[in-house]
Amino acid sequence: MLILLPPSEGKTAPSGGEPVDVAALPFPGLNKTRERLLDVLSRLTFPRALTYLDIGPGLEEEARRNLTLRDEPAAPAHEVYTGVLYEHLGLGSFADTENVLIASALWGFVRPGDRIPAYRLSMGATLPHIASLPALWRDPLRKALPDEGLIVDLRSGAYIAAWKPKQATVVGVRAFVDGKTVSHMVKATRGDVARILLQADPAETPEDVAGAVRAAGHTVELSGSGRSWTVDVIT
């Protein structure tokens, strides 16, 4: 089983330590794209950069870190990414997270223990000479990533557009409160589901995923067939 996580918009900047070593990140086939994006970000000028990054003036200080990412302190990804999903998941409490990959508009994918700096770039950004980040990543990710077995995909739309497994059996997770989807609740639920799956025996089928979540006390509906399945967690 492989668990795919989204990144978080909010990130905790490391207070010290060595900078990122791009060559040490997983999937070396992604390094050419990673380096290209680092170069593009380092040349952005402000305030126009805010338009490219699709953020407001209140985040300018955070975005300026993009100019020097190769020199910024790095820390394990599970310490850098914050937000509702990661609060509910608590990746730092698990000794083995080799079956977890975190999607990123800058890095493609990283593992929780990979050292990265805090950065500001979402998959919806439109950078100079790069009209679409999902399109930029699509071919490198297709060539680099494992596409087999069972994948629990907890990513959001733009990151799914960058890479959709073709051969693996994919299980998505949705959350409903009184019959409605609530963004905040979806993130929290996906964090809970990831934590449950990391604590349980390794899932091999969509039924295993639904069973583990149900055994943890949630109301669950499983739907789908073939290689595409969905677990609905209902409150």
Side-chain angles (χ1 to χ4, degrees):
M1 176 187 63
L2 184 65
I3 300 174
L4 305 181
L5 301 178
S8 61
E9 292 299 322
K11 301 173 183 70
T12 299
S15 59
E18 295 296 316
V20 62
D21 180 359
V22 175
L25 295 178
F27 311 114
L30 304 181
N31 285 350
K32 182 178 179 180
T33 305
R34 290 163 173 160
E35 294 286 4
R36 178 183 176 185
L37 289 171
L38 286 169
D39 287 341
V40 171
L41 292 176
S42 72
R43 293 194 294 265
L44 292 181
T45 58
F46 287 80
R48 191 177 182 186
L50 302 180
T51 301
Y52 285 124
L53 298 173
D54 192 27
I55 58 176
L59 294 172
E60 179 171 340
E61 181 177 350
E62 182 179 330
R64 283 186 177 275
R65 194 181 297 118
N66 286 348
L67 301 176
T68 55
L69 285 177
R70 288 189 174 93
D71 300 317
E72 293 290 327
H78 71 82
E79 297 178 8
V80 174
Y81 290 116
T82 56
V84 174
L85 185 150
Y86 287 89
E87 290 172 359
H88 279 249
L89 172 50
L91 274 173
S93 64
F94 293 97
D96 183 6
T97 55
E98 282 299 305
N99 63 332
V100 176
L101 293 177
I102 304 171
S104 167
L106 177 56
W107 312 113
F109 276 95
V110 294
R111 293 191 173 94
D114 293 322
R115 298 178 65 260
I116 59 172
Y119 62 94
R120 189 76 196 193
L121 183 66
S122 69
M123 199 63 86
T126 304
L127 298 177
H129 310 296
I130 302 175
S132 168
L133 285 170
L136 177 72
W137 277 113
R138 196 163 294 133
D139 194 51
L141 291 175
R142 178 185 61 82
K143 294 176 179 178
L145 293 179
D147 186 358
E148 59 187 5
L150 179 68
I151 294 179
V152 179
D153 193 349
L154 305 178
R155 298 173 297 161
S156 53
Y159 294 90
I160 293 174
W163 181 62
K164 296 180 181 179
K166 301 297 184 182
Q167 304 302 320
T169 299
V170 179
V171 180
V173 173
R174 301 185 299 183
F176 292 89
V177 180
D178 296 328
K180 300 178 181 179
T181 59
V182 181
S183 177
H184 184 88
M185 183 60 70
V186 170
K187 294 176 182 178
T189 298
R190 287 175 175 168
D192 289 337
V193 168
R195 187 189 71 253
I196 290 165
L197 294 177
L198 288 173
Q199 292 172 331
D201 293 334
E204 297 181 358
T205 67
E207 290 81 6
D208 290 344
V209 175
V213 178
R214 189 177 292 114
H218 296 276
T219 300
V220 172
E221 292 182 0
L222 175 66
S223 61
S225 62
R227 293 193 175 96
S228 180
W229 295 80
T230 302
V231 168
D232 289 336
V233 181
I234 301 168
T235 301

